[in-house]
Amino acid sequence: MNISTAHRLGTPDVMRRYPVIVGEATIIGYVSRWHRTWDAETSNGVHRVGRPPKGQAGDAWAARWLAEEYAEGRIVPIAARSAELDAVYGPAPLLDSRLPDTPTNRQRAMEVWALLAAYAWTPRGGYPGSDNLMLLRCDLCGALVARFWSKLRGRNGNPPSPGARHTGCLDAAEVRRRVPAYGPAS
Ligand SMILES: [Zn+2]
């Protein structure tokens, strides 16, 4: 099945990473070239899309793959990030410097980060434990916010409420539409 989703390529950054955009400005991933092969950065990590068929532009071809993944609900939007910004700020560290660097804390931080990604958040600081503020970027609207993990996770095995992301975010129905992890409205 070939699902087509309206999408477009944005302006590439200094490393020639093209954002793939749906709607007004929602980035669902980046495509870039490595020799003749095209790669896609997604909420699920980096995926090797491959070589485009002869005569097809690789950027548009790789972008189409990303749009299909998005349409199928296998990926969620990701935070806007450019090679320029990464060069200045670097990726966030795994642990807050005040949290003891133990195997248990590292394991916990990895689990929390995987869940944050599923709910369309990108950590902008190290994991501080569940009851301290953590700096996050909202992948849906780009806002930089400080939230407690204990307030972001759901309760009793249920997903969190999509209306409780942060003040000024998209409305709950739109959040649910874009982030499959929230599940259907009850
Ligand atoms: Zn938001």
Side-chain angles (χ1 to χ4, degrees):
M1 184 168 56
N2 202 352
I3 296 178
S4 97
T5 298
H7 62 278
R8 63 189 166 87
L9 288 163
T11 310
D13 68 14
V14 70
M15 294 299 285
R16 309 299 291 172
R17 295 161 61 249
Y18 290 80
V20 179
I21 299 167
V22 299
E24 231 162 79
T26 303
I27 298 173
I28 57 172
Y30 291 87
V31 295
S32 57
R33 208 177 65 153
W34 182 259
H35 297 292
R36 287 184 199 161
T37 301
W38 282 79
D39 294 333
E41 291 168 55
T42 76
S43 60
N44 272 343
V46 178
H47 177 87
R48 181 132 284 188
V49 186
R51 290 189 184 193
K54 253 196 162 35
Q56 283 198 40
D59 51 3
W61 178 75
R64 210 150 44 237
W65 178 86
L66 248 177
E68 281 170 23
E69 289 289 294
Y70 181 67
E72 297 272 16
R74 286 192 285 265
I75 58 172
V76 296
I78 64 177
R81 43 173 286 268
S82 67
E84 294 94 323
L85 281 178
D86 277 359
V88 176
Y89 298 109
L94 180 62
L95 300 178
D96 185 285
S97 59
R98 292 163 292 185
L99 196 69
D101 189 346
T102 64
T104 307
N105 280 340
R106 286 186 161 264
Q107 179 63 34
R108 185 74 193 118
M110 300 284 270
E111 290 164 9
V112 169
W113 279 25
L115 282 165
L116 285 172
Y119 286 104
W121 295 104
T122 299
R124 287 312 304 151
Y127 176 65
S130 63
D131 291 313
N132 290 303
L133 281 173
M134 60 194 304
L135 183 61
L136 299 167
R137 188 186 165 105
C138 174
D139 295 347
L140 299 181
C141 71
L144 204 58
V145 298
R147 305 287 277 144
F148 294 100
W149 170 244
S150 54
K151 297 276 168 60
L152 285 178
R153 71 179 166 211
R155 283 165 185 250
N156 306 323
N158 298 315
S161 162
R165 283 181 74 81
H166 67 88
T167 310
C169 198
L170 309 178
D171 69 53
E174 183 62 14
V175 170
R176 229 183 258 288
R177 198 183 70 75
R178 295 195 194 186
V179 186
Y182 281 105
S186 54

